[in-house]
Amino acid sequence: MKLSGVMLLMIFYCELFVYRITAQASGRPSVVNIGALLSFSTNVGKVAKLAIKAAVDDVNSDPTTLGGTKLKLQMQDCNHSGFLALAEALHLMEGQTVAIIGPQDAVTSHVVSHVANELQVPLLSFSATDPTLSSLQFPYFVRTTQSDQYQMAAIAEIVDHYGWREVIAIYVDDDHGRNGIAALGDTLAAKRCRISFKAPLSVEATEDEITDLLVKVALTESRIIVVHTHYNRGPVVFHVAQYLGMLGTGYVWIATSWLSTALDTNSPFPSDVMDDIQGVLTLRTYTPDSVLKRKFISRWRNLTDAKTPNGYIGLNAYGFYAYDTVWLLARAINSFFKQGGNLSFSKDSRLSDIQGHLRLDSLRIFNGGNLLRDSILQANMTGTAGPARFNSHGDLINPAYEIINVIGTGYRRIGYWSNYSGLSVVRPETLYSKPPNRSSSNQRLYSVIWPGQTTQKPRGWVFPNNGRHLRIGVPNRVSFREFVSVKGSEMTSGFCIDVFTAAINLLPYAVPYKLIPFGDGHNNPSCTELVRLITAGVYDAAVGDIAIITNRTKMADFTQPYIESGLVVVAPVRKLDSNAWAFLSPFTPMMWGVTAIFFLAVGAVVWILEHRLNDEFRGPPKRQVVTIFWFSFSTMFFAHKEKTVSALGRLVLIIWLFVVLIINSSYTASLTSILTVQKLSSPIKGIDSLRSSNYPIGYQVNSFARNYLVDELNIDESRLVPLNSPEEYAKALKDGPHKGGVAAVVDDRAYAELFLSTRCEFSIVGQVFTKNGWGFAFPRDSPLAVDISTAILKLSENGDLQRIHDKWLLRSACSSQGAKLDVDRLQLKSFSGLYLLCGLACLLALFIYLMQIVHQFSRHYPGDTESNGGSSRSARLQTFLSFVNEKEDEVKSRSKRRHVERTSYRSEDEMSSCNSNRKHIELSSNLSLDSDTRNCNGSS
């Protein structure tokens, strides 16, 4: 054993000697100076200090990493001070430092980055998460941890996942806090969410200052609070919030990664601190499990026990990144030397010109800074925190976070967020091999125990506890006051007001509001202007007869429509009186003509089918013509006396009588409707005829109908006449276009129906030519709009909405339905199927009948062609027609007589033949004579 140990030691020193010889031959220095800027008293600084020292020792103990060159580390404590960080950075760079690990926070990083730019010394920060540090302004700043840009994207997706729309941001008012919250605002805006209130804290805020700030937060509407601070202020914020009762039911608190870092570093937390953060959500930078990570965790306790006087310090995510940063820098330095880089420094001429006692002229520019920075950004390694590779923006690839819910004395992971697939309960690395799926159905988190020990998702907002009522604008109408009626400054009633009140009463929470009239009381106000005042902050909502149209939806959010509406044309109508020829009205001329033709055709077909069998369809030609006409038209009343005896005739007649039954029923029903139902007529048939004419058109003052007629239908403004009340409507319509009135009024359907309910001389003509509805208007993304919409749907389902409608708008004096401008006449196409069926039956019967006739004719006159071969075709046709005209009984009897005659002729011929044979046979033998005689007698 001793011999083998000695051998291994000799091999190690030999390799070390070879690497040193190689390094000297290649021009590599034996030592490379690197620095580290930390805040030793912080959670991150304590862990990073140990991790960086351990990494430097590991790099120096492995001669293969730098080819025999060693890292010489110098750490400086900047104590969270930008000034001290600047001084310590200058001190490090005086010693020809090629790279600095750190600074630790955003404030010092912003300061030191200017020095790094001047002296071209790369900064590798494992904990400065400010997104603005990745800008082009700081080319020598390299972030070796995840940017807050991704952490804020994760928070925005959590907010959107639970359906919240507004958050409150509490943050430390420094570079880290301001820039992080700015990134949060941008990512929330992409989800149509927003930060409704920003609550900045000074870096050294006292408990009283925090109390004053949280009191303002409690008076706001949103209950989703994001805390983006440092660990020294974060616990105080939660302690004050607990004291003010802001960690109870209804609140949602989301802390950024400072809280998870504190939980990992100082675990276990004191019980009083844990009580202040129950139900809080926080994010922790995700580091995938690996062999390297497990090995580093296993040796962490030995590192802390040996090098910290206060005992064990927990390992947080920044410890992994700090350890990996040293290895990343070591590999980059090795690549730097392989590419021919050397450690050379030159004077900065601008520093030499500065006079004073600061000795800035001792600082040198690192000539290989560009090459070393590029080597760092081109690194591709796997460390304890996972893959270390940079994208084109200088950020680490595959950013991911764990989402943690603080419960009891510890915490519980409820899911993950990654920039690749969003929210998931599956580890991010298992999703990288699959196509990204950001659909809402794929975004999942486990259940959360929210503040107040409840599992029910908080609504996320309440009405502000500042004593202010919602200011709701109500149009002060002067006409159609059944919809909205304002009496004085307090009394408001009407259909729209009752619907809103009923919806408010269905909400599970109280809504303090005040209805404020809008308008001068002399003219109907513009609802578009009322909606615009919501965006201006004059009103918190608008309730009334507000149509949901395009330009208004661009300014505000609307609830579910509570009444259907749309533009219609109202015009004078007159009653149509029936005339002496009203009985012809049920059918169109085409229908009458086709029906008459079918009556004659069916009569002719039945005559053809019955003529040879039925005596009632025989006789002189004049009588047969009369029979056809009589039979045809008598079937209309089912009064035909002639009986059909043929099967084909009965088939045709049955089908025809069915057609006649349908025609008679339809005619009777249509004629009854024409003679009993009131018919109205108007020269205006609808919006198309009104648009094509040059008549003046009336519209309601301040209605959107005017803009629609001008902008959409291109009607000249000179034709439009503003009207302010139903009385003006009636007068203008009665006067008509020739006496200073209007030909028609274009208005919303709801107004038109209410106007027509007591004025029978007018009616809606044509169809509704726009489709919209009325709703209540709220500011964009208002959560109250969603709840009111749900309440309106409930009113519709339980029938209350219809009851409110009947209370205010149900009138029965006149029908408000549109005038019937044309008599409802039955068209031929409505009966085409019946006529087609009857026609096919007739053709089929005629075809079968013709085949039967031809067969009989060929059987009864089989020899005509042979015996009269020279006769003309006309003679043959005349014979056929004569055959067809004969009664079938006569044909059959004549056929029998011919058969008997032919039989007798055949017998006579046979007898004469037998006599001749007898004479001949007498000359034969007697035996033959006897035999033939018997045969002849037998045959006769």
Side-chain angles (χ1 to χ4, degrees):
M1 292 295 291
K2 291 182 179 180
L3 181 61
S4 61
V6 171
M7 292 294 294
L8 290 174
L9 187 61
M10 291 177 62
I11 293 172
F12 173 77
Y13 280 110
C14 287
E15 289 181 354
L16 181 60
F17 177 75
V18 170
Y19 277 117
R20 286 182 176 179
I21 295 298
T22 304
Q24 292 176 359
S26 61
R28 291 194 181 198
S30 59
V31 175
V32 175
N33 294 326
I34 63 172
L37 291 176
L38 306 175
S39 295
F40 294 162
S41 62
T42 64
N43 289 324
V44 175
K46 294 175 185 177
V47 173
K49 183 178 180 181
L50 298 176
I52 291 173
K53 287 183 177 179
V56 171
D57 292 342
D58 292 345
V59 170
N60 289 336
S61 63
D62 182 5
T64 62
T65 303
L66 285 172
T69 302
K70 290 187 177 294
L71 297 178
K72 183 179 180 181
L73 173 67
Q74 184 175 359
M75 285 192 181
Q76 300 294 339
D77 184 6
C78 56
N79 197 23
H80 257 310
S81 171
F83 175 75
L84 291 179
L86 177 60
E88 297 295 350
L90 294 175
H91 176 68
L92 289 174
M93 293 178 184
E94 283 181 344
Q96 295 187 344
T97 300
V98 300
I100 294 177
I101 298 175
Q104 181 179 312
D105 56 68
V107 175
T108 55
S109 295
H110 277 279
V111 176
V112 177
S113 290
H114 292 284
V115 180
N117 288 349
E118 184 68 25
L119 302 180
Q120 300 181 13
V121 176
L123 302 178
L124 290 82
S125 180
F126 58 88
S127 58
T129 56
D130 178 3
T132 62
L133 288 170
S134 300
S135 64
L136 298 176
Q137 182 184 6
F138 306 119
Y140 286 91
F141 178 86
V142 179
R143 193 197 323 274
T144 58
T145 186
Q146 300 297 348
S147 169
D148 272 344
Q149 180 71 38
Y150 301 110
Q151 181 173 204
M152 298 309 173
I155 293 176
E157 292 212 27
I158 293 172
V159 171
D160 181 64
H161 175 71
Y162 288 110
W164 301 316
R165 286 292 171 262
E166 295 183 355
V167 303
I168 296 172
I170 300 176
Y171 60 97
V172 174
D173 196 9
D174 60 5
D175 292 332
H176 170 74
R178 283 192 305 272
N179 296 330
I181 294 303
L184 176 62
D186 293 340
T187 53
L188 285 172
K191 301 290 185 181
R192 288 199 64 186
C193 305
R194 68 187 184 98
I195 300 175
S196 60
F197 182 71
K198 292 183 178 181
L201 290 169
S202 65
V203 178
E204 301 296 333
T206 64
E207 187 170 329
D208 290 338
E209 291 173 341
I210 294 174
T211 302
D212 294 338
L213 187 65
L214 290 184
V215 168
K216 295 179 182 178
V217 170
L219 295 176
T220 58
E221 180 180 284
S222 178
R223 287 294 180 263
I224 313 300
I225 304 172
V226 177
V227 183
H228 186 51
T229 67
H230 304 300
Y231 175 69
N232 61 340
R233 294 294 89 193
V236 182
V237 171
F238 282 109
H239 178 70
V240 175
Q242 181 73 273
Y243 173 76
L244 295 176
M246 298 176 65
L247 278 160
T249 304
Y251 281 89
V252 175
W253 291 82
I254 303 175
T256 51
S257 57
W258 66 265
L259 180 55
S260 62
T261 301
L263 289 171
D264 291 337
T265 307
N266 302 313
S267 181
F269 256 30
S271 59
D272 56 339
V273 178
M274 290 300 296
D275 291 340
D276 292 338
I277 59 175
Q278 292 297 302
V280 174
L281 296 182
T282 184
L283 278 73
R284 178 168 60 191
T285 305
Y286 175 70
T287 55
D289 187 31
S290 65
V291 175
L292 289 175
K293 180 179 177 180
R294 290 195 294 269
K295 287 182 178 180
F296 187 63
I297 292 174
S298 66
R299 58 184 287 212
W300 181 254
R301 180 170 290 277
N302 295 330
L303 292 174
T304 57
D305 290 343
K307 299 182 180 182
T308 56
N310 298 325
Y312 179 74
I313 298 176
L315 177 61
N316 55 48
Y318 294 113
F320 295 118
Y321 283 112
Y323 182 84
D324 290 346
T325 300
V326 176
W327 277 96
L328 180 68
L329 177 58
R331 293 174 186 270
I333 292 174
N334 186 51
S335 175
F336 168 80
F337 287 134
K338 286 183 176 179
Q339 297 179 64
N342 59 81
L343 301 183
S344 63
F345 296 85
S346 59
K347 286 187 177 182
D348 188 341
S349 59
R350 291 185 294 182
L351 295 177
S352 301
D353 296 336
I354 299 176
Q355 301 296 326
H357 301 285
L358 295 178
R359 298 179 58 190
L360 295 178
D361 57 342
S362 63
L363 297 175
R364 296 291 185 267
I365 296 174
F366 178 30
N367 296 326
N370 284 333
L371 181 59
L372 180 58
R373 179 199 58 191
D374 294 341
S375 298
I376 293 170
L377 293 176
Q378 293 169 6
N380 185 3
M381 59 167 278
T382 300
T384 58
R389 191 165 70 251
F390 297 93
N391 59 24
S392 58
H393 302 290
D395 294 328
L396 289 178
I397 63 170
N398 299 332
Y401 290 87
E402 296 177 76
I403 304 170
I404 295 171
N405 182 204
V406 180
I407 304 172
T409 59
Y411 54 81
R412 170 175 166 264
R413 184 191 302 113
I414 64 168
Y416 304 89
W417 177 89
S418 69
N419 193 46
Y420 184 78
S421 57
L423 301 176
S424 174
V425 295
V426 181
R427 293 181 180 272
E429 62 267 23
T430 63
L431 299 175
Y432 294 146
S433 60
K434 302 176 182 178
N437 187 352
R438 301 300 289 266
S439 62
S440 57
S441 61
N442 198 55
Q443 304 299 295
R444 288 188 56 211
L445 292 175
Y446 290 123
S447 60
V448 179
I449 297 179
W450 304 100
Q453 300 297 313
T454 179
T455 57
Q456 183 177 2
K457 185 197 78 173
R459 188 171 70 245
W461 67 279
V462 295
F463 284 97
N465 297 323
N466 53 15
R468 189 177 75 87
H469 288 60
L470 286 179
R471 294 171 54 85
I472 299 179
V474 177
N476 186 7
R477 296 194 58 85
V478 297
S479 62
F480 299 107
R481 294 170 67 88
E482 290 86 351
F483 295 105
V484 179
S485 176
V486 178
K487 298 177 182 178
S489 59
E490 300 293 335
M491 296 294 294
T492 307
S493 60
F495 168 71
C496 302
I497 304 302
D498 280 5
V499 172
F500 177 73
T501 303
I504 287 291
N505 292 336
L506 287 179
L507 298 181
Y509 48 86
V511 180
Y513 66 91
K514 183 179 181 181
L515 300 178
I516 303 173
F518 169 71
D520 57 10
H522 302 290
N523 293 289
N524 290 326
S526 170
C527 289
T528 301
E529 178 64 17
L530 176 59
V531 174
R532 190 194 67 79
L533 291 177
I534 296 176
T535 63
V538 177
Y539 299 113
D540 299 313
V543 171
D545 50 336
I546 305 173
I548 305 173
I549 57 177
T550 303
N551 62 334
R552 294 174 186 172
T553 58
K554 295 177 181 179
M555 296 183 286
D557 281 351
F558 282 83
T559 63
Q560 172 80 16
Y562 59 88
I563 187 173
E564 292 183 0
S565 64
L567 293 179
V568 295
V569 178
V570 178
V573 294
R574 61 182 179 84
K575 183 178 179 181
L576 288 176
D577 296 326
S578 59
N579 54 33
W581 301 98
F583 68 91
L584 296 176
S585 299
F587 291 164
T588 61
M590 178 65 72
M591 179 67 182
W592 280 116
V594 172
T595 302
I597 291 173
F598 261 84
F599 269 107
L600 294 175
V602 170
V605 169
V606 173
W607 177 83
I608 292 173
L609 298 176
E610 295 290 325
H611 176 68
R612 302 184 71 246
L613 299 176
N614 197 337
D615 291 335
E616 294 182 356
F617 289 87
R618 298 186 64 82
K622 181 178 180 180
R623 178 186 172 188
Q624 294 184 44
V625 172
V626 172
T627 299
I628 291 174
F629 278 93
W630 167 252
F631 180 82
S632 299
F633 291 101
S634 63
T635 55
M636 177 180 290
F637 311 101
F638 304 98
H640 51 285
K641 298 179 181 179
E642 295 79 5
K643 295 181 180 180
T644 54
V645 296
S646 66
L648 294 176
R650 289 175 178 176
L651 174 64
V652 171
L653 185 60
I654 288 174
I655 296 176
W656 174 243
L657 290 179
F658 175 73
V659 175
V660 170
L661 175 64
I662 300 300
I663 293 174
N664 283 343
S665 301
S666 303
Y667 176 86
T668 303
S670 179
L671 184 61
T672 303
S673 174
I674 291 172
L675 297 179
T676 57
V677 178
Q678 176 178 319
K679 304 296 177 181
L680 304 177
S681 176
S682 172
I684 303 299
K685 308 301 182 184
I687 187 62
D688 293 332
S689 63
L690 184 63
R691 180 182 177 186
S692 61
S693 69
N694 292 320
Y695 294 143
I697 303 170
Y699 70 93
Q700 187 178 167
V701 174
N702 285 325
S703 168
F704 75 94
R706 177 186 180 280
N707 292 336
Y708 184 86
L709 293 173
V710 174
D711 299 336
E712 302 296 332
L713 300 183
N714 298 320
I715 295 177
D716 194 89
E717 287 189 64
S718 60
R719 294 178 56 191
L720 303 181
V721 179
L723 304 172
N724 205 37
S725 66
E727 291 73 19
E728 293 184 12
Y729 282 20
K731 184 179 184 304
L733 290 171
K734 287 180 180 178
D735 292 343
H738 303 295
K739 296 182 180 180
V742 298
V745 172
V746 175
D747 204 354
D748 199 286
R749 177 181 174 182
Y751 301 127
E753 290 181 346
L754 188 60
F755 168 73
L756 296 174
S757 63
T758 56
R759 294 171 175 84
C760 305
E761 65 272 27
F762 311 111
S763 181
I764 296 174
V765 295
Q767 302 295 324
V768 179
F769 56 93
T770 65
K771 294 290 186 180
N772 47 40
W774 290 359
F776 305 133
F778 290 88
R780 298 302 296 268
D781 300 320
S782 171
L784 188 57
V786 178
D787 291 350
I788 292 292
S789 294
T790 304
I792 290 174
L793 291 175
K794 291 181 180 178
L795 290 175
S796 177
E797 292 170 357
N798 61 25
D800 287 345
L801 189 61
Q802 184 62 43
R803 284 188 284 272
I804 297 173
H805 178 276
D806 295 344
K807 171 187 174 182
W808 289 97
L809 306 179
L810 185 61
R811 307 291 173 84
S812 58
C814 295
S815 173
S816 62
Q817 296 180 357
K820 294 186 178 181
L821 303 181
D822 294 322
V823 175
D824 294 332
R825 314 183 84 177
L826 298 176
Q827 305 291 328
L828 176 63
K829 62 182 180 181
S830 302
F831 300 90
S832 58
L834 289 173
Y835 283 133
L836 178 63
L837 178 64
C838 184
L840 291 176
C842 293
L843 292 176
L844 179 62
L846 287 176
F847 177 76
I848 295 174
Y849 177 74
L850 180 62
M851 293 298 99
Q852 291 177 346
I853 291 298
V854 171
H855 178 69
Q856 289 181 4
F857 180 75
S858 61
R859 190 178 63 184
H860 291 294
Y861 295 92
D864 287 357
T865 304
E866 294 79 358
S867 60
N868 300 318
S871 61
S872 65
R873 293 184 179 179
S874 60
R876 177 69 172 175
L877 179 60
Q878 289 179 0
T879 304
F880 178 75
L881 293 177
S882 299
F883 176 77
V884 171
N885 189 46
E886 288 181 325
K887 191 175 181 180
E888 189 167 347
D889 292 342
E890 296 178 356
V891 173
K892 290 181 178 180
S893 62
R894 186 173 63 249
S895 177
K896 290 181 179 180
R897 288 198 302 269
R898 286 184 177 181
H899 179 71
V900 172
E901 291 176 355
R902 288 177 180 175
T903 302
S904 61
Y905 291 154
R906 189 182 302 114
S907 299
E908 290 177 359
D909 292 340
E910 290 177 353
M911 289 297 296
S912 59
S913 175
C914 287
N915 292 331
S916 300
N917 290 334
R918 187 178 294 112
K919 292 179 180 181
H920 176 73
I921 291 170
E922 287 177 354
L923 300 175
S924 303
S925 64
N926 292 331
L927 180 60
S928 298
L929 178 61
D930 292 338
S931 176
D932 290 341
T933 303
R934 282 195 300 270
N935 290 336
C936 289
N937 291 332
S939 63
S940 62

